[in-house]
Amino acid sequence: MEKIEHSTISTNGIKMHVASIGRGPAVLFLHGFPELWYSWRHQLLSLSSLGYRAIAPDLRGYGDTDAPPSPASYTAFHIVGDLVGLLDHFGIEQVFLVGHDWGAIIAWYLCLFRPDRIKALVNLSVPFFRRNPQVDFVEGFRALLGDDFYICRFQVPGEGEEDFSSNTVNVFKRVLANRNPSPPIIPKEIGFRGIYKDPETLPSWLSEQDLDHFATKFNEKGFTGGLNYYRALRLTWELTAPWQGAQVKVPTKFILGDLDLTYQFPGMKDYIHNGGFKQDVPSLEEVVVMEGAAHFINQEKGEEISTHIYEFIKKF
């Protein structure tokens, strides 16, 4: 870990913290919520040892990167703009792209908006979400899963922040180690911290040091930046109307665990396996469902995910 280099760059009007290691073709890793560049620690070391330049920023709103206060500063266009600026800063014309959770959502948009900058994509946990021209993302989820679905609850300013900040170490312990694949439903009287129980022991892939790293950074920065991605969903939906029906045409591999909560969303398995996903992403070459793996698959199955990434990108 000490070989990983850290820098701060200027991009799209913000200061962004970037972790990187290695020389060779560039691989850009995008983390999710509530995470940091650190979520890719295993992949940074593994891919750099195989001859790649591995790059993992703290995305806008997270860790040591700036966090603009307004949710309107967190649309897909803002985040993609940050990443195009990152590539330009380092003089990288094209990159291999890897995303997880919200990082996967941003990766889909980056491939949609700027396919000229992407050689190939490996996305984890979150498949492409087809835009419904009649209903925005938040109201679509509300219709399927109700007002207490976590994406709907996160729309309320301050509520999620208070919930997550109550005991940060315990929040990360419960969230990262969660094995319940049901979509999170969060009654207000229970809160996010109340829907998952503390694990009796930490899983082998998650240490107290890991928890402390996440908790320390989120205690410093807070959770508002990460939650603002959810609060900008409606604005992203409005602004992406010109891309209605557009396909992602970048060569793609998709991986998720069979215990991933996104895999249990209504209609998701049918979409992934019965043609809908392939229709939206015609260059989808592989779909891998890892048995016994949950949502934070890049940390839980670090070595296997690194191998999956390498086996795909080495073809290009």
Side-chain angles (χ1 to χ4, degrees):
M1 291 287 287
E2 64 275 5
K3 294 181 180 179
I4 295 174
E5 299 176 352
H6 297 269
S7 61
T8 300
I9 68 168
S10 295
T11 175
N12 195 25
I14 64 169
K15 299 290 187 182
M16 173 175 274
H17 166 249
V18 182
S20 62
I21 184 173
R23 297 179 181 273
V27 186
L28 178 61
F29 295 91
L30 309 180
H31 68 78
F33 176 86
E35 298 180 82
L36 303 163
W37 75 268
Y38 187 80
S39 301
W40 298 108
R41 58 198 179 278
H42 306 299
Q43 290 75 33
L44 290 177
L45 297 176
S46 180
L47 271 294
S48 63
S49 73
L50 293 168
Y52 291 88
R53 182 183 183 185
I55 302 169
D58 283 335
L59 294 177
R60 174 182 290 238
Y62 288 94
D64 294 319
T65 292
D66 286 350
S70 171
S73 297
Y74 291 82
T75 71
F77 293 95
H78 290 85
I79 316 304
V80 169
D82 298 345
L83 298 171
V84 171
L86 179 153
L87 297 180
D88 290 344
H89 175 89
F90 289 115
I92 299 169
E93 190 62 33
Q94 279 198 318
V95 71
F96 293 112
L97 185 61
V98 183
H100 169 255
D101 186 79
W102 256 107
I105 296 173
I106 297 303
W108 292 121
Y109 282 119
L110 180 49
C111 291
L112 197 63
F113 300 159
R114 294 301 303 272
D116 57 305
R117 305 303 295 268
I118 311 301
K119 292 180 184 177
L121 169 67
V122 179
N123 249 355
L124 313 180
S125 295
V126 181
F128 185 80
F129 281 177
R130 183 183 298 172
R131 183 183 184 277
N132 183 335
Q134 305 301 323
V135 181
D136 72 60
F137 297 117
V138 176
E139 294 311 313
F141 282 122
R142 194 187 307 277
L144 282 172
L145 294 161
D147 292 337
D148 289 338
F149 183 54
Y150 77 106
I151 290 176
C152 302
R153 291 235 61 90
F154 284 174
Q155 301 303 309
V156 183
E159 190 174 290
E161 287 89 337
E162 181 180 355
D163 211 5
F164 280 112
S165 300
S166 58
N167 187 325
T168 314
V169 171
N170 277 354
V171 165
F172 278 101
K173 186 184 298 184
R174 293 175 181 184
V175 170
L176 295 177
N178 173 51
R179 312 297 293 174
N180 179 359
S182 301
I185 306 298
I186 312 172
K188 185 174 183 179
E189 61 273 15
I190 295 175
F192 200 94
R193 63 185 180 273
I195 65 170
Y196 298 140
K197 296 181 179 179
D198 287 335
E200 293 183 6
T201 59
L202 287 180
S204 60
W205 53 270
L206 185 64
S207 69
E208 293 288 351
Q209 181 182 356
D210 296 332
L211 290 174
D212 287 342
H213 184 91
F214 284 112
T216 298
K217 289 299 180 183
F218 276 86
N219 282 336
E220 292 172 358
K221 179 71 72 175
F223 288 86
T224 299
L227 290 166
N228 277 344
Y229 284 65
Y230 297 93
R231 294 165 186 164
L233 275 169
R234 287 191 177 97
L235 184 54
T236 290
W237 176 82
E238 291 178 14
L239 296 174
T240 51
W243 284 266
Q244 182 65 42
Q247 296 172 310
V248 172
K249 296 183 178 179
V250 171
T252 299
K253 179 175 186 173
F254 181 70
I255 309 167
L256 83 170
D258 65 350
L259 297 179
D260 195 312
L261 58 92
T262 61
Y263 200 40
Q264 310 305 321
F265 283 11
M268 190 61 74
K269 292 178 182 177
D270 180 68
Y271 172 75
I272 290 172
H273 298 295
N274 292 330
F277 195 9
K278 181 71 171 177
Q279 181 180 344
D280 291 332
V281 188
S283 295
L284 178 66
E285 297 186 15
E286 297 180 57
V287 173
V288 177
V289 180
M290 298 183 69
E291 186 174 349
H295 183 65
F296 296 95
I297 195 168
N298 49 332
Q299 299 184 70
E300 179 184 348
K301 301 290 185 181
E303 184 176 342
E304 295 95 322
I305 291 298
S306 296
T307 299
H308 274 297
I309 294 167
Y310 174 67
E311 291 297 326
F312 188 64
I313 67 175
K314 73 176 185 180
K315 301 188 295 185
F316 299 93

